Amino acid sequence: SQKIEQNSEALNIQEGKTATLTCNYTNYSPAYLQWYRQDPGRGPVFLLLIRENEKEKRKERLKVTFDTTLKQSLFHITASQPADSATYLCALHNAGNMLTFGGGTRLMVKP
Amino acid sequence: DVKVTQSSRYLVKRTGEKVFLECVQDMDHENMFWYRQDPGLGLRLIYFSYDVKMKEKGDIPEGYSVSREKKERFSLILESASTNQTSMYLCASSFGGGYSSYEQYFGPGTRLTVT
């Protein structure tokens, strides 16, 4: 069966360091993958989309990689700030216009 | 800015009641989605609509129905609410475009409690 795995344990890092979050999947061949940020009690907010023929995508302090051989995406936040503390969700393109979401990883950036 | 609004932030209903959750988007998006989010289970798709009066079942449609009479509005209906439908419900919308799909814009969510 199709499966998306994100580390369910919270990631705690010090302000200024680079945070790296992992999204692994099995039994998928997604055309693209997306990353979202979700704050407590709010809906997810789109951050980045990366297509299967793209190895890397950047947006300001964010960087996403997509390795279709390893079936893995890495999400990096450089020079992390306490305001980056949130839950980050990866989502894989499924049939048609549908996405399947991972369970999310909570990031805590300490000052 | 895209805006997706949901009719209630918090809702408390009794077992067996019929519950309507409304979602409105203002960006003329073709696609609209209903998800529920539960601790440890993540976001799960209930129903998806790609056009007015069109719908497709998601991963967990049992116990739910939907209605899309106008492009901007997508309703989720719990015909007879049960306690296991206590959850956070999130509506989202996106542009259409077939294979080249776009990001989803989410509403603030409705926290439904069924007692």
Side-chain angles (χ1 to χ4, degrees):
Chain A
S1 62
Q2 296 174 326
K3 206 171 177 184
I4 302 172
E5 287 184 349
Q6 293 186 258
N7 194 342
S8 58
E9 290 183 16
L11 177 64
N12 294 294
I13 64 166
Q14 208 64 36
E15 183 176 6
K17 301 290 185 186
T18 296
T20 298
L21 285 68
T22 305
C23 176
N24 294 303
Y25 59 93
T26 55
N27 297 324
Y28 273 104
S29 294
Y32 57 84
L33 183 150
Q34 300 181 10
W35 282 88
Y36 289 77
R37 168 185 173 138
Q38 187 174 23
D39 292 288
R42 293 177 174 262
V45 175
F46 170 78
L47 296 174
L48 281 168
L49 179 153
I50 185 166
R51 301 187 188 280
E52 59 180 338
N53 59 351
E54 297 174 316
K55 296 293 183 190
E56 182 180 297
K57 203 85 170 274
R58 291 175 185 262
K59 180 183 175 184
E60 297 171 353
R61 294 184 296 112
L62 308 181
K63 185 178 87 171
V64 171
T65 62
F66 191 10
D67 189 325
T68 55
T69 302
L70 290 178
K71 294 187 181 295
Q72 181 182 78
S73 176
L74 298 178
F75 177 80
H76 306 272
I77 306 176
T78 56
S80 59
Q81 305 164 0
D84 295 326
S85 299
T87 296
Y88 292 86
L89 309 170
C90 74
L92 272 63
H93 164 248
N94 210 330
N97 289 291
M98 289 185 275
L99 295 174
T100 300
F101 284 82
T105 297
R106 189 172 168 214
L107 173 67
M108 299 282 291
V109 181
K110 297 183 178 178
Chain B
D1 274 355
V2 176
K3 197 157 186 188
V4 179
T5 56
Q6 295 184 229
S7 48
S8 306
R9 288 303 308 271
Y10 301 94
L11 208 52
V12 180
K13 294 291 182 180
R14 292 188 181 273
T15 301
E17 278 193 83
K18 191 167 185 176
V19 181
F20 292 88
L21 302 183
E22 302 280 334
C23 175
V24 178
Q25 51 93 5
D26 65 358
M27 276 298 292
D28 203 34
H29 283 167
E30 290 83 2
N31 301 325
M32 295 189 75
F33 309 83
W34 274 107
Y35 296 90
R36 63 178 282 178
Q37 187 172 32
D38 302 287
L41 294 175
L43 271 166
R44 291 179 292 167
L45 181 66
I46 304 171
Y47 267 100
F48 158 54
S49 169
Y50 54 92
D51 201 351
V52 173
K53 297 191 186 296
M54 307 304 287
K55 62 185 179 186
E56 282 192 25
K57 292 180 181 179
D59 299 318
I60 50 163
E62 297 78 18
Y64 303 94
S65 62
V66 290
S67 172
R68 192 160 180 209
E69 297 295 320
K70 293 185 177 181
K71 191 175 185 180
E72 67 271 17
R73 188 178 297 268
F74 192 33
S75 302
L76 180 70
I77 303 149
L78 287 66
E79 294 289 341
S80 177
S82 64
T83 54
N84 63 12
Q85 292 179 310
T86 291
S87 185
M88 170 70 95
Y89 289 87
L90 288 157
C91 174
S93 71
S94 74
F95 286 110
Y99 186 76
S100 180
S101 190
Y102 296 87
E103 63 266 28
Q104 294 185 11
Y105 296 84
F106 283 83
T110 296
R111 187 164 292 283
L112 172 68
T113 302
V114 182
T115 61

